[in-house]
């Protein structure tokens, strides 16, 4: 998506070869018009697939996922991060390994909000190693719901997330795909 690539070029900050900061328009301050355009593009790509719900991981996925759910007129599920293990038979739970934060956390979803009749699109801000998306898929599949795919704003294609998901049969659609980057440059695929 040209609009997003232009914005990343002008306002994105590559901290190093691995981490891209987009705090001025996605992660800290949000550009609502750009966010709406990105959500419309995700909704258009995945339309007519029988999607019944959008799911995202709190908290940076909520803005794009909410606007995508609005465009598709389906509910949004927020997969919650829990700091410690809470045993609760009303919840599906799984552990995520976060490479960026070098910690493990528990991801939870209430059994009330998802069932085998659901076909779920996962939306997130970034795809990097694919750990968060893989955990989201594992969690949603516990209910026997099916996965329609993963829509992300920014894919860092030099990291293994896409391969990991595609090898599980998951379609990945990214609005901007970064081939490589460094302190003074960002190049797209
Ligand atoms: P994963 O490695 O599991 O694909 O990425 C998990 C999460 O880490 C993403 O949803 C995103 O919130 C965050 N993340 C990964 N790489 C970056 C990055 O380069 N910049 C920012 N702002 N967040 C990132």
């Amino acid at each position: 998506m040209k609009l997003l690539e232009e914005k990343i070029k002008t306002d994105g900050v590559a901290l190093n070869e691995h981490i891209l900061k987009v705090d001025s328009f996605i992660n800290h301050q949000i550009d609502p018009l750009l966010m709406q355009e990105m959500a419309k593009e995700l909704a258009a790509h995945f339309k007519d697939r029988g999607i019944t719900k959008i799911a995202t991981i709190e908290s940076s996925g909520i803005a794009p996922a909410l606007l995508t759910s609005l465009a598709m007129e389906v509910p949004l599920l927020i997969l919650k991060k829990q700091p410690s293990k809470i045993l609760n038979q009303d919840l599906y739970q799984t552990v995520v390994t976060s490479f960026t934060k070098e910690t493990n956390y528990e991801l939870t979803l209430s059994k009330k909000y998802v069932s085998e009749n659901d076909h779920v699109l996962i939306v997130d801000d970034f795809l990097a190693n694919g750990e968060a998306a893989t955990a989201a898929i594992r969690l949603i599949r516990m209910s026997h719901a099916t996965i329609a795919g993963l829509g992300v704003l920014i894919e860092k294609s030099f990291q293994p997330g896409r391969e990991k998901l595609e090898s599980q049969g998951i379609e990945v659609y990214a609005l901007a795909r970064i081939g490589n980057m460094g302190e003074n440059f960002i190049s797209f695929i």
Side-chain angles (χ1 to χ4, degrees):
M1 189 185 182
K2 265 271 155 291
L3 196 62
L4 175 59
E5 290 183 3
E6 292 302 323
K7 190 75 170 172
I8 292 170
K9 283 216 151 153
T10 54
D11 294 357
V13 180
L15 286 189
N16 50 44
E17 289 152 34
H18 306 286
I19 300 287
L20 176 67
K21 295 289 270 186
V22 286
D23 279 4
S24 67
F25 58 104
I26 291 178
N27 285 144
H28 196 3
Q29 168 173 267
I30 293 175
D31 177 335
L33 291 179
L34 174 63
M35 195 61 92
Q36 190 175 40
E37 287 308 309
M38 295 192 288
K40 279 188 197 160
E41 175 65 30
L42 291 177
H45 180 84
F46 286 102
K47 77 170 195 274
D48 302 330
R49 306 270 191 103
I51 290 164
T52 61
K53 283 179 187 176
I54 307 290
T56 193
I57 298 172
E58 66 178 357
S59 57
S60 53
I62 294 176
L66 177 61
L67 293 181
T68 307
S69 77
L70 182 64
M72 299 187 91
E73 299 186 3
V74 295
L76 170 64
L77 293 170
I78 300 168
L79 309 181
K80 313 273 266 179
K81 289 176 184 168
Q82 306 280 355
S84 61
K85 248 190 154 72
I86 310 167
L87 284 179
N88 184 332
Q89 58 183 17
D90 301 328
L91 298 175
Y92 295 116
Q93 294 178 294
T94 193
V95 173
V96 188
T97 308
S98 168
F99 288 110
T100 32
K101 299 201 174 104
E102 293 179 351
T103 53
N104 287 347
Y105 59 87
E106 193 94 8
L107 204 61
T108 68
L109 169 62
S110 170
K111 292 181 181 177
K112 271 194 290 198
Y113 302 128
V114 65
S115 80
E116 60 191 8
N117 301 320
D118 283 312
H119 192 46
V120 182
L121 172 66
I122 298 167
V123 171
D124 207 355
D125 58 344
F126 272 88
L127 175 62
N129 291 302
E131 292 303 323
T134 300
I137 291 164
R138 195 161 63 235
L139 191 67
I140 290 162
R141 281 183 171 159
M142 288 177 187
S143 70
H144 300 290
T146 50
I147 306 294
L150 171 70
V152 293
L153 306 181
I154 303 170
E155 171 191 324
K156 292 186 292 178
S157 304
F158 52 87
Q159 289 179 296
R162 175 180 285 268
E163 279 133 69
K164 193 178 284 177
L165 292 158
E166 287 182 344
S167 71
Q168 301 170 60
I170 302 293
E171 180 193 339
V172 176
Y173 181 59
L175 301 182
R177 301 181 67 194
I178 297 177
N180 55 63
M181 62 186 197
E183 254 179 70
N184 293 314
F185 75 98
I186 298 173
S187 72
F188 296 98
I189 292 179

